Amino acid sequence: MIEEKEIAILIREYLESHHEKMIHFLKELVALESPTREIEKQHIILDFLRVKFEDIGYHVVLVPGKLTGGYLYARPLDRDRSLPLQLIVGHCDTVWPTDTIKNMPISYDNGMMKGPGIYDMKAGLTQLYFSLLALKAIPAPIKVTPIVLINSDEEIGSRESTNSIKSLAKISNRAYVLEPPLGLDGKLKTARKGLGRFTLTVIGKAAHAGLDPEKGINAIVELSHQVQQLYAMNDFEKGITVNVGMIEGGISPNVVAPESKAVVDVRVLNKADGKLITDKIKALKPLLPNVQLTIEGRIGRPPMERTQRNQELWRIAEEHGRELGINLEQATSGGGSDANTTSIFTATLDGLGTPGDGAHAPHEYIFENKIIERTALLTLLLLTEPLNKNI
């Protein structure tokens, strides 16, 4: 029987022999620009991935979206139905508009490979594809069947794909999410903040600012009071952040503002704090008389908490990292991902993409020499024994 150390060596050797093909595949993905809101562009990249997965023996279903490009679901054609499932989640959409690549071309600079969407997260998709290839080539038994979901709406909250992600996570022994890792040293993400959006709308009363201002009720003044109360809810020690990121109001400088609005971003580390802050926001009352205050919103992405089962998966990854000569660390991310969803239902590990920097920024890049080791790590994780679901 082949030993684990030998498996790690074989995986690394296989991936090193395919390094040029990996980079070529990654270049193809980056060149297929795929902004979230451009549905036709999403169809092109999803169809590209469909062909690739079918070529390696996967049954692929492309599920169309109503307002987005939809998502891809793939499973092995020759799967053993008696085996448990493991879910691998990625996204093909980026924040970059079409033709960004003209100003951010695929390039190399001192070990860094640059391009729009390369870090978030087309390198992760490349790892996924070549990890599945490695599983077919390495003489090691697969004890948990890999199934794949790649969506095209992650950058706008996975609104259309979340229900399917939930359904698959419920029947999976574990989930791996290929978002980029945290920091230049590539920390794996074992916890993420939950994310909420709230909108406060204030209705006052218009009046001429010069002739009879006393007859008006200034909605902007009321909103300023509400903003102060919102900021008082911040508790950085507990990881609770409340940010008023957008405000609007008024109709003219010479009119007492009859209406104003604020959009609020809320982040929390755990479900209890999510309920606490939601209750506080929903309990806000107007300070000025005869003002109408309407509050809408909720915690849309629950936190990915550092649960016992998530920590068990992290310990396994840490051990596999040592086998590959990688000193892995874990971290908490302030942003949300589809891992927030899968973690509710099954053990989840996130940040399994390639180290680099610049997500959503003009300097976006990966460290090219890290893509092999992170693909090897993912492959070892896919070969891991089923987890104890009672954890």
Side-chain angles (χ1 to χ4, degrees):
M1 185 176 178
I2 189 168
E3 295 184 2
E4 283 192 14
K5 288 184 179 179
E6 292 179 73
I7 293 173
I9 292 169
L10 288 173
I11 291 171
R12 191 141 200 171
E13 288 177 347
Y14 175 84
L15 294 172
E16 285 172 351
S17 71
H18 284 71
H19 184 223
E20 287 188 14
K21 290 182 178 179
M22 292 179 75
I23 298 305
H24 177 73
F25 184 94
L26 177 54
K27 285 180 178 179
E28 287 186 291
L29 285 180
V30 176
L32 291 172
E33 293 182 281
S34 46
T36 305
R37 298 189 186 276
E38 296 191 31
I39 293 176
E40 290 305 315
K41 296 287 186 180
Q42 296 296 341
H43 289 168
I44 291 170
I45 193 169
L46 286 168
D47 197 57
F48 171 87
L49 291 166
R50 174 190 63 78
V51 172
K52 294 294 183 181
F53 282 110
E54 287 178 346
D55 285 347
I56 62 172
Y58 273 68
H59 170 70
V60 180
V61 178
L62 292 180
V63 180
K66 293 179 180 178
L67 301 174
T68 70
Y71 63 87
L72 175 153
Y73 168 72
R75 59 167 174 75
L77 282 168
D78 58 350
R79 74 190 192 280
D80 182 342
R81 292 180 181 273
S82 68
L83 297 180
L85 302 174
Q86 55 188 334
L87 175 62
I88 315 165
V89 181
H91 68 86
C92 64
D93 60 322
T94 76
V95 299
W96 300 107
T98 298
D99 292 332
T100 296
I101 201 164
K102 292 178 180 177
N103 297 317
M104 286 174 62
I106 300 168
S107 61
Y108 297 88
D109 180 15
N110 200 25
M112 297 179 291
M113 186 174 173
K114 300 181 176 181
I118 195 167
Y119 178 58
D120 186 14
M121 55 168 286
K122 291 181 176 178
L125 295 181
T126 302
Q127 291 173 237
L128 164 58
Y129 180 72
F130 281 86
S131 182
L132 297 179
L133 274 177
L135 290 180
K136 288 182 168 292
I138 303 303
I142 297 175
K143 298 177 181 179
V144 189
T145 299
I147 57 174
V148 175
L149 187 141
I150 299 172
N151 60 3
S152 66
D153 61 347
E154 193 277 339
E155 295 292 2
I156 55 172
S158 304
R159 296 168 191 171
E160 292 194 333
S161 58
T162 289
N163 283 340
S164 294
I165 293 169
K166 286 180 179 178
S167 296
L168 293 173
K170 286 177 182 177
I171 61 172
S172 296
N173 181 262
R174 58 197 180 222
Y176 299 119
V177 181
L178 288 163
E179 291 286 344
L182 195 64
L184 296 180
D185 52 353
K187 295 180 177 67
L188 300 190
K189 297 171 181 177
T190 55
R192 280 184 176 271
K193 284 190 175 183
L195 171 63
R197 286 282 163 81
F198 296 84
T199 301
L200 275 68
T201 303
V202 179
I203 304 297
K205 183 181 179 182
H208 194 290
L211 297 178
D212 45 9
E214 72 282 355
K215 293 182 180 179
I217 304 172
N218 197 312
I220 293 176
V221 173
E222 175 62 43
L223 186 63
S224 70
H225 293 309
Q226 299 299 328
V227 167
Q228 295 303 313
Q229 293 189 78
L230 287 164
Y231 266 87
M233 297 178 191
N234 278 289
D235 189 335
F236 299 126
E237 288 187 5
K238 293 183 69 175
I240 299 173
T241 59
V242 181
N243 181 63
V244 180
M246 294 174 63
I247 59 171
E248 59 182 60
I251 55 176
S252 176
N254 63 347
V255 177
V256 175
E259 186 171 346
S260 63
K261 182 181 293 186
V263 181
V264 186
D265 178 284
V266 173
R267 309 212 176 204
V268 294
L269 283 171
N270 56 65
K271 187 177 179 180
D273 285 343
K275 183 180 185 310
L276 172 70
I277 207 70
T278 297
D279 290 345
K280 281 187 174 182
I281 292 174
K282 292 291 181 76
L284 288 170
K285 303 295 181 186
L287 273 71
L288 300 179
N290 301 315
V291 166
Q292 179 183 339
L293 174 64
T294 303
I295 302 169
E296 299 172 304
R298 63 189 179 89
I299 301 293
R301 264 192 169 146
M304 174 189 178
E305 299 189 39
R306 196 162 281 164
T307 61
Q308 185 178 350
R309 64 189 181 194
N310 288 355
Q311 282 295 284
E312 176 64 19
L313 201 52
W314 151 249
R315 283 188 286 271
I316 292 169
E318 190 180 26
E319 183 179 333
H320 286 322
R322 283 194 291 268
E323 293 171 25
L324 294 165
I326 312 171
N327 183 25
L328 292 173
E329 296 181 51
Q330 62 176 323
T332 299
S333 172
S337 83
D338 291 320
N340 294 56
T341 299
T342 61
S343 180
I344 301 169
F345 306 104
T346 192
T348 297
L349 189 60
D350 194 4
L352 287 163
T354 304
D357 193 30
H360 304 188
H363 67 283
E364 184 172 7
Y365 68 87
I366 61 162
F367 294 112
E368 185 193 346
N369 65 344
K370 298 292 185 181
I371 195 167
I372 288 177
E373 69 175 31
R374 294 300 167 124
T375 308
L377 175 64
L378 175 62
T379 309
L380 283 173
L381 285 166
L382 293 174
L383 287 170
T384 301
E385 299 269 351
L387 296 181
N388 180 356
K389 291 291 282 184
N390 295 321
I391 290 177

